[in-house]
Amino acid sequence: MSKFLLLAFVCTLTALHNAKGLEALAGDINDSNDGTNYAYRLPDSTEPVSYDLQITPDIENRSFHGQVDIVVKAKQYTTEVILNSKDLILTSAPWFQDMKTNRSMAIKDYAFDDRREQLVVKLERSILPSRLYKFTVAFSGILRDDYIGFHKYFYDSGNYSRWIALTQFKPIYARRAFPCYDEPKFKTPYTISIARLNQHSALSNMPLKNSEIHPEDGWMWDHFKTTKPIPTYLVAFMVSDFDRNYKNGDNIAMHTRKEYIEDTTYMMGKAPNLLRGVEKFTRIPYMLPKLDLVGVPLLNAYSMENWGLNSYEEFYVTLSKDSQTEDKIQGSMTVLHEILHQWFGNMVTTPWWDHAWFNEGMCNYLNYYITSIIEPEWDMDESFVENVHQYALSWDEYDDTHPLTFAVSTPNDIENAFDIITIDKSAAIFRMLKCVVGEEIFRTSVNKYLNDFAMPSLLNKLVHYCYRYMEAEPKDLWQTFDYVLYDANYVIEDGVTVVNYMNSWTEQPGYPVITVRSTSNGSIVASQKRFSVSYPSLGTDDEKWLVGLTYTTETEMDFDELTPTVWLKPTDDHAILKVPENFGWIIVNIQSTGFYRVNYDEKNWKLLLIQLITNPDRIHVLNRAQIIDDAYHLCRAELVPYDYYTSLLEYLLMEDHVMPWNTAINGLSSIMDAIRRYPTEYSKFKKYTQGLAGILYDKLSENRMQNATTKIGWSRLLTWTCKMGNPRCAQSASRHFDAWMKGHQIPSEMEEATLCAGMKKGNVAALSKIYKLYKTTRSPSQKEIILRALACSNNVQSHFSQLNLIRLDNADNGTLQSFKTICDNLVTTPAGVRGLADYMAQLLNSIQSSSILDNLQKYIAVAYAALAPKVATDDELFVMEMIKPSGINIHINITTTKIHQTIESNLLWMERDHEKIMRAIKM
């Protein structure tokens, strides 16, 4: 009896830990104060306790059918049971059974609510609170072609066409495979059974329990062990004839099509180390008995973190030790990202999609952090600042950006919640937090948070049947940090807690510019305001942040102390920075750890310029890149004159590191894109930029550029010098292309420049060989190189049909993600911009008459978004207006309206500043 009471007490603790309280439950029924429309949320009257799912894919008829038994717990008296369902047919009437009395509950009616994507079941009589009922429904659906829900994919394998059927349920696509409670807060055990033909195999989240042959039809049924409590978006299963690669005694296996299985050996050797790296950081062992990594030809996303069954586009797991380093980095980080999700998102889950950034950001940051430990020669700190931190700053600098935490309600809201703010800004914020509290406190706090919300191990052992991994919100992690800091007797700053610090960065949009200036009495003061490049600006100065400032001076030269020493609070007009006498220059935001930009007074800008021109290595490379990046964006915001920026660019004559050059090229390229509207100014600015390209080519050809062993950045810089028309670079690339045509290898750092030169040649033999390489290569970086080279052609449109890149009259040709890759790479040159825009306009009639217009709207929006920051001329703008999606899909229309506002802002920016830029470059 005492053991039973203890078990009941433990389960009660679990329920209390997850309870919202009566006030919060009442608030779930209607719209909330934060603007969330709860009409699209499931009511809080029932919840799932367990699922028993049986499903049969019928590939010949491109369909599936199945049955699901859901044990449902009533939380209040109700005569309605509402679940999520979309695009499904109920093949028999649902029925309810009282599990205590075994009596059936009479069903009055049931209907689909298409707008809310819900199945509403009305009962003849009310069900009772705390009573368990079994809801059973048989259903069928179409095996989809759009890579979401339960979908199929056909691929060529030798002389045969083969297929796979697999799931992609994140974020809200499980409802397209079976009726369910399709919200992340409902974490429930699943018992899954899959029917298949004898020559195929099935995989699911858990290991196989047993298989049996159905006596009537001869189909093989695979029954899998019951999962831990998981949300619907992490449920996964697939049927294929893939092969398996594994090591005896290891719980990791890789699966891919038979002809590529030997190519998984390299990543099969790395995956256990990546898993151990996460276990070491979290101090929590992997929680499932197995982890399958599946490489499939195409996915809706590059990868998916299904618990125990991660899926990847196959080239990420079919690498070798001889693969290009860029591919190996991408492969390792892609696999590691989904492994991290097994802890962050799978084990501990956020209850709703308004916090989609929370686990995405943590996994994105830790991906770089753990990779830097495992592969220190890859220079991940520099890669993070360039590819994540700076990118997020440039995305978040407009007035219409959104905060990290923002209300999402409709299915379209949820599907579009994963953007640069969600993924990259969140990662930069986690890096900033680590620097505030220190590495040890950061790791200890994250570990405690994971343990607290996975339930203490003692309780797990005592009560297996109420064992569950919990839901948590950002505030739970912030509070955990504050507890750890308190126990360590560590005070960040008077009045500063992690809770109020992180709330200021996650609950309002944008970020500040910190202005640093000398006063008449000789002190140095820092103040803040929201940074914006929107023109005309629609924002206000109301937003203030809790900002931790790091800084060093010319006399101190301390670029290693990353913990803030001065705090600028929202209520402060300014903060005073203590500096020694005759300190020389000052640099704020050491190693770009803070998510903000910095502006200085004229004297300090000049001192920094002198230092960079005379001896740039005295300033940390991340701060050299930061100074260039900030200066460019400050010019756009009219906070400093353009000659500050162009004067800084002169120091590049002394710069032998890749990262500051890449940062400078980003700014130069943005100006080049926008100033094309003014042909005379464009010609002059291009000539100015060609001068910088000549300096860069000299450094590259003399092998003076410092870089990681990968030479990834070097390759990109070399390509840029060729695209800028540097004659020596063009000649070298042309010679390499001619040699390649005769069977010689292209040096890896010259590949893109060389293929670009080949596209410019334009002869049939050259183009045929490039097309063949595109069709046969399995290297993702090489495919992107070829796509960027395609944009070098003077007639981009003529190559579309030969490469079969774009068929918007039939969107079954590839995933939305791969289409985005094509568009992003095509718009890297003016010819590519014109070619893509014109091609989209030509397809407009067939697109508008298409039977799959709803899906095509997403593809059009992707092309529109890729073109938006690049278009400049009147004819390009006219095409953009033609292809602007409208009417059919409201959310896509809203998204493209925002993009159109960016176009208008860019046009007004260049109208305002093109003459200023010309004066700054003195041409």
Side-chain angles (χ1 to χ4, degrees), residues 302 780 783-784 787 816-826 862:
Y302 289 138
K783 276 190 178 291
E784 291 198 13
L787 290 172
L816 191 64
Q817 187 64 51
S818 61
F819 179 73
K820 181 180 184 301
T821 299
I822 291 168
C823 292
D824 289 345
N825 285 295
L826 284 177
V862 164

Side-chain angles (χ1 to χ4, degrees), residues 711-720 748-750 752:
K711 290 191 176 180
I712 295 172
W714 184 357
S715 174
R716 292 171 182 167
L717 293 177
L718 192 58
T719 300
W720 180 76
S748 60
E749 68 273 14
M750 280 292 296
E752 184 174 341

Side-chain angles (χ1 to χ4, degrees), residues 876-911:
E876 291 166 357
L877 295 171
F878 177 75
V879 171
M880 290 294 282
E881 191 61 35
M882 286 178 60
I883 67 174
K884 181 180 178 181
S886 60
I888 300 297
N889 187 316
I890 296 300
H891 182 81
I892 294 296
N893 190 33
I894 293 172
T895 300
T896 51
T897 297
K898 289 183 177 181
I899 296 171
H900 191 72
Q901 291 169 354
T902 301
I903 297 174
E904 291 292 331
S905 181
N906 284 343
L907 293 175
L908 292 171
W909 160 52
M910 197 46 58
E911 180 181 2

